Coordinates of all heavy atoms in Angstrom, one line a residue:
N86 N 103.1 97.2 115.2 CA 102.6 96.0 114.6 C 103.7 95.5 113.6 O 103.5 95.7 112.4 CB 101.3 96.3 113.9 CG 100.6 95.0 113.4 OD1 101.2 94.0 113.2 ND2 99.3 95.1 113.1
Y87 N 104.7 94.9 114.1 CA 105.9 94.5 113.3 C 105.6 93.4 112.3 O 106.1 93.6 111.1 CB 107.0 94.1 114.2 CG 107.4 95.2 115.2 CD1 107.7 94.9 116.5 CD2 107.5 96.5 114.9 CE1 108.1 95.8 117.5 CE2 107.8 97.5 115.8 CZ 108.1 97.2 117.1 OH 108.4 98.1 118.0
P88 N 104.8 92.4 112.6 CA 104.5 91.5 111.5 C 103.8 92.1 110.3 O 104.1 91.8 109.2 CB 103.6 90.4 112.2 CG 103.9 90.5 113.7 CD 104.2 92.0 113.9
R89 N 102.8 93.0 110.6 CA 102.1 93.6 109.5 C 103.0 94.6 108.7 O 103.0 94.6 107.5 CB 100.9 94.4 110.1 CG 99.9 94.9 109.1 CD 98.8 93.9 108.8 NE 97.8 94.5 108.0 CZ 97.5 94.1 106.8 NH1 98.2 93.2 106.2 NH2 96.5 94.8 106.1
A90 N 103.8 95.3 109.5 CA 104.8 96.2 108.8 C 105.7 95.4 107.9 O 106.0 95.8 106.8 CB 105.6 96.9 109.9
M91 N 106.2 94.2 108.4 CA 107.1 93.4 107.6 C 106.5 92.9 106.4 O 107.1 92.9 105.3 CB 107.7 92.3 108.5 CG 108.8 91.5 107.8 SD 110.3 92.4 107.6 CE 111.1 92.2 109.1
D92 N 105.2 92.6 106.4 CA 104.4 92.1 105.2 C 104.5 93.2 104.2 O 104.8 92.9 103.0 CB 103.0 91.8 105.6 CG 102.8 90.5 106.4 OD1 103.7 89.7 106.4 OD2 101.7 90.4 106.9
F93 N 104.2 94.4 104.6 CA 104.3 95.5 103.6 C 105.7 95.8 103.1 O 105.9 96.1 101.9 CB 103.6 96.8 104.2 CG 102.1 96.7 104.1 CD1 101.4 96.2 105.2 CD2 101.4 97.1 103.0 CE1 100.0 96.1 105.1 CE2 100.0 97.0 102.9 CZ 99.3 96.5 103.9
F94 N 106.7 95.7 104.0 CA 108.0 96.0 103.5 C 108.5 94.9 102.5 O 109.2 95.2 101.5 CB 109.0 96.0 104.7 CG 108.8 97.2 105.6 CD1 109.2 97.1 107.0 CD2 108.2 98.3 105.2 CE1 109.0 98.1 107.8 CE2 108.0 99.4 106.1 CZ 108.4 99.3 107.4
V95 N 108.1 93.7 102.7 CA 108.5 92.6 101.8 C 107.8 92.8 100.5 O 108.4 92.6 99.4 CB 108.1 91.2 102.4 CG1 108.2 90.1 101.4 CG2 109.0 90.9 103.6
Q96 N 106.5 93.2 100.5 CA 105.8 93.5 99.2 C 106.5 94.7 98.5 O 106.7 94.6 97.3 CB 104.4 94.0 99.5 CG 103.5 92.9 99.9 CD 102.1 93.4 100.3 OE1 101.5 94.2 99.5 NE2 101.6 93.1 101.5
S97 N 106.9 95.7 99.2 CA 107.5 96.9 98.6 C 108.9 96.5 98.0 O 109.2 96.8 96.9 CB 107.7 98.0 99.7 OG 108.4 99.0 99.2
L98 N 109.7 95.7 98.8 CA 111.0 95.3 98.3 C 110.9 94.5 97.1 O 111.7 94.7 96.1 CB 111.7 94.4 99.4 CG 113.1 93.9 99.1 CD1 114.0 95.1 98.9 CD2 113.6 93.0 100.3
K99 N 109.9 93.6 97.0 CA 109.7 92.8 95.8 C 109.5 93.7 94.6 O 110.1 93.5 93.5 CB 108.5 91.8 96.0 CG 108.3 90.9 94.8 CD 107.1 90.0 95.0 CE 106.9 89.2 93.8 NZ 105.5 88.7 93.6
I100 N 108.7 94.7 94.7 CA 108.4 95.6 93.6 C 109.6 96.4 93.2 O 110.0 96.5 92.1 CB 107.2 96.5 93.9 CG1 105.9 95.8 94.1 CG2 107.0 97.6 92.8 CD1 104.8 96.6 94.8
Y101 N 110.3 97.0 94.2 CA 111.5 97.7 94.0 C 112.6 96.9 93.3 O 113.3 97.4 92.4 CB 112.1 98.3 95.2 CG 111.4 99.6 95.7 CD1 111.0 99.7 97.0 CD2 111.2 100.7 94.8 CE1 110.3 100.9 97.5 CE2 110.5 101.8 95.2 CZ 110.1 101.9 96.6 OH 109.5 103.1 97.0
K102 N 112.7 95.6 93.6 CA 113.7 94.7 93.0 C 113.2 94.5 91.5 O 114.1 94.5 90.6 CB 113.8 93.4 93.7 CG 114.7 93.6 95.0 CD 114.8 92.2 95.7 CE 115.8 92.3 96.8 NZ 116.0 91.0 97.5
E103 N 111.9 94.3 91.3 CA 111.4 94.0 89.9 C 111.7 95.2 89.0 O 112.0 95.0 87.8 CB 109.9 93.8 90.0 CG 109.5 92.4 90.5 CD 108.0 92.2 90.7 OE1 107.3 93.2 90.3 OE2 107.6 91.2 91.2
I104 N 111.7 96.4 89.5 CA 111.9 97.6 88.7 C 113.3 98.1 88.8 O 113.7 99.1 88.2 CB 110.9 98.7 88.9 CG1 110.9 99.2 90.3 CG2 109.5 98.2 88.5 CD1 110.1 100.5 90.6
D105 N 114.1 97.4 89.6 CA 115.5 97.8 89.8 C 115.7 99.2 90.3 O 116.6 99.9 89.8 CB 116.4 97.5 88.6 CG 117.9 97.5 88.9 OD1 118.3 97.0 90.0 OD2 118.7 97.9 88.0
D106 N 114.9 99.6 91.3 CA 115.0 100.9 91.9 C 115.9 100.8 93.1 O 115.5 100.4 94.2 CB 113.6 101.4 92.3 CG 113.6 102.8 92.9 OD1 114.5 103.2 93.6 OD2 112.7 103.5 92.6
K107 N 117.2 101.2 92.9 CA 118.2 101.0 94.0 C 117.9 101.8 95.2 O 118.0 101.3 96.3 CB 119.6 101.4 93.5 CG 120.1 100.6 92.3 CD 120.5 99.2 92.7 CE 121.2 98.5 91.5 NZ 121.2 97.1 91.6
M108 N 117.4 103.0 95.1 CA 117.1 103.8 96.3 C 115.9 103.2 97.0 O 115.9 103.2 98.2 CB 116.8 105.3 95.9 CG 116.7 106.2 97.1 SD 118.2 106.3 98.1 CE 119.2 107.3 97.2
G109 N 114.9 102.8 96.3 CA 113.8 102.1 96.9 C 114.2 100.9 97.7 O 113.7 100.6 98.8
I110 N 115.0 100.1 97.0 CA 115.5 98.8 97.7 C 116.3 99.2 99.0 O 116.0 98.6 100.0 CB 116.5 98.0 96.7 CG1 115.7 97.5 95.5 CG2 117.2 96.9 97.5 CD1 116.5 97.0 94.4
A111 N 117.2 100.2 98.9 CA 117.9 100.6 100.0 C 117.0 101.1 101.2 O 117.2 100.7 102.3 CB 118.9 101.7 99.7
N112 N 116.1 101.9 100.9 CA 115.1 102.4 101.9 C 114.3 101.3 102.5 O 114.1 101.3 103.7 CB 114.2 103.5 101.3 CG 114.9 104.8 101.0 OD1 116.0 105.1 101.6 ND2 114.4 105.5 100.1
T113 N 114.0 100.3 101.7 CA 113.2 99.2 102.3 C 114.1 98.3 103.2 O 113.7 97.9 104.2 CB 112.6 98.3 101.1 OG1 111.8 99.2 100.3 CG2 111.6 97.3 101.7
Y114 N 115.3 98.1 102.7 CA 116.3 97.4 103.6 C 116.4 98.1 105.0 O 116.5 97.4 106.0 CB 117.7 97.3 103.0 CG 117.8 96.2 101.9 CD1 118.8 96.4 100.9 CD2 117.0 95.1 101.9 CE1 118.9 95.4 99.9 CE2 117.2 94.1 100.9 CZ 118.1 94.3 99.9 OH 118.3 93.3 98.9
L115 N 116.5 99.4 104.9 CA 116.6 100.1 106.2 C 115.4 99.9 107.1 O 115.6 99.7 108.3 CB 116.8 101.6 105.8 CG 117.1 102.6 107.0 CD1 118.4 102.3 107.6 CD2 117.0 104.0 106.5
N116 N 114.2 99.9 106.5 CA 113.0 99.7 107.3 C 112.9 98.3 107.8 O 112.5 98.0 109.0 CB 111.8 100.1 106.5 CG 111.5 101.5 106.5 OD1 111.0 102.1 107.5 ND2 111.8 102.2 105.4
I117 N 113.3 97.3 107.0 CA 113.3 95.9 107.5 C 114.4 95.8 108.6 O 114.1 95.1 109.6 CB 113.7 94.9 106.3 CG1 112.5 94.9 105.3 CG2 114.0 93.5 106.8 CD1 112.7 94.2 104.0
G118 N 115.5 96.4 108.4 CA 116.5 96.3 109.5 C 116.0 96.9 110.8 O 116.3 96.4 111.9
S119 N 115.2 98.0 110.7 CA 114.7 98.6 111.9 C 113.7 97.8 112.6 O 113.6 97.8 113.8 CB 114.1 100.0 111.6 OG 112.9 99.9 110.8
I120 N 112.9 97.0 111.8 CA 112.0 96.0 112.5 C 112.8 95.0 113.3 O 112.4 94.7 114.4 CB 111.1 95.3 111.4 CG1 110.2 96.3 110.7 CG2 110.4 94.1 112.1 CD1 109.0 96.8 111.6
Y121 N 113.8 94.5 112.7 CA 114.7 93.5 113.4 C 115.3 94.1 114.7 O 115.4 93.5 115.7 CB 115.7 92.9 112.5 CG 115.1 91.8 111.6 CD1 115.3 92.0 110.2 CD2 114.5 90.7 112.0 CE1 114.7 91.0 109.3 CE2 113.9 89.8 111.2 CZ 114.1 89.9 109.8 OH 113.6 89.0 109.0
R122 N 115.7 95.4 114.5 CA 116.4 96.1 115.7 C 115.3 96.3 116.8 O 115.6 96.0 117.9 CB 116.9 97.4 115.2 CG 117.5 98.2 116.4 CD 118.0 99.6 116.0 NE 117.0 100.4 115.3 CZ 116.0 101.0 115.9 NH1 115.9 101.0 117.2 NH2 115.1 101.7 115.2
L123 N 114.1 96.7 116.4 CA 113.1 96.9 117.4 C 112.7 95.6 118.1 O 112.2 95.6 119.2 CB 111.9 97.5 116.8 CG 112.1 99.0 116.3 CD1 111.0 99.4 115.4 CD2 112.1 99.9 117.5
Q124 N 112.9 94.4 117.4 CA 112.6 93.1 118.0 C 113.9 92.5 118.7 O 113.8 91.4 119.1 CB 112.1 92.2 117.0 CG 110.8 92.6 116.4 CD 110.3 91.7 115.3 OE1 111.1 91.3 114.4 NE2 109.0 91.4 115.2
A125 N 114.9 93.3 118.8 CA 116.2 92.9 119.5 C 116.9 91.8 118.7 O 117.6 91.0 119.3 CB 116.0 92.6 120.9
N126 N 116.6 91.6 117.4 CA 117.3 90.6 116.6 C 118.4 91.4 115.9 O 118.3 91.7 114.7 CB 116.3 90.0 115.6 CG 117.0 88.8 114.8 OD1 118.2 88.7 114.8 ND2 116.1 88.0 114.3
Y127 N 119.5 91.7 116.6 CA 120.5 92.6 116.2 C 121.3 92.0 115.0 O 121.8 92.8 114.1 CB 121.4 93.0 117.3 CG 120.6 93.7 118.4 CD1 120.5 93.2 119.7 CD2 119.9 94.9 118.2 CE1 119.8 93.8 120.7 CE2 119.1 95.5 119.1 CZ 119.1 94.9 120.4 OH 118.3 95.5 121.4
N128 N 121.5 90.7 114.9 CA 122.3 90.2 113.8 C 121.5 90.4 112.5 O 122.1 90.8 111.5 CB 122.5 88.7 114.1 CG 123.6 88.4 115.1 OD1 124.4 89.3 115.4 ND2 123.5 87.3 115.8
K129 N 120.2 90.1 112.5 CA 119.4 90.3 111.3 C 119.3 91.8 111.0 O 119.4 92.2 109.8 CB 118.0 89.8 111.5 CG 117.9 88.3 111.3 CD 118.3 87.9 109.9 CE 117.2 87.4 109.0 NZ 117.6 86.8 107.7
A130 N 119.2 92.7 112.0 CA 119.2 94.1 111.8 C 120.5 94.5 111.1 O 120.4 95.3 110.1 CB 119.0 94.8 113.1
L131 N 121.6 94.1 111.6 CA 122.9 94.5 111.0 C 123.0 94.0 109.5 O 123.5 94.7 108.7 CB 124.1 93.9 111.8 CG 124.4 94.7 113.0 CD1 125.4 94.0 113.9 CD2 124.9 96.1 112.7
E132 N 122.5 92.8 109.3 CA 122.5 92.2 107.9 C 121.8 93.2 107.0 O 122.3 93.5 105.9 CB 121.8 90.9 107.9 CG 121.6 90.2 106.6 CD 120.8 88.9 106.6 OE1 120.8 88.3 107.7 OE2 120.1 88.6 105.6
Y133 N 120.6 93.7 107.4 CA 119.9 94.6 106.5 C 120.5 96.0 106.4 O 120.4 96.6 105.4 CB 118.4 94.6 106.8 CG 117.7 93.4 106.3 CD1 117.6 92.2 107.0 CD2 117.2 93.4 105.0 CE1 117.0 91.0 106.4 CE2 116.6 92.3 104.4 CZ 116.5 91.1 105.1 OH 115.9 90.0 104.6

């Protein structure tokens, strides 16, 4: 359920950015990238 997953990843990323948690931001970027990879959007996956 990639749209639902992305909703939660975006929420998580927003919080991690607010508290400046670099490791949390990095882990969230990795998960967002994996959603794009699973959807064969390789350019966006590489970006994240």
Side-chain angles (χ1 to χ4, degrees):
N86 188 341
Y87 303 138
R89 190 89 168 114
M91 189 66 86
D92 287 344
F93 280 93
F94 293 157
V95 169
Q96 289 175 47
S97 178
L98 181 61
K99 182 181 177 205
I100 297 168
Y101 279 131
K102 284 183 173 181
E103 286 173 4
I104 61 173
D105 196 33
D106 183 322
K107 299 285 190 205
M108 188 60 78
I110 294 168
N112 288 336
T113 307
Y114 282 154
L115 185 64
N116 278 285
I117 291 172
S119 70
I120 292 290
Y121 285 121
R122 179 184 53 80
L123 291 164
Q124 294 176 320
N126 187 341
Y127 301 118
N128 288 333
K129 281 299 252 188
L131 281 171
E132 176 187 331
Y133 280 90

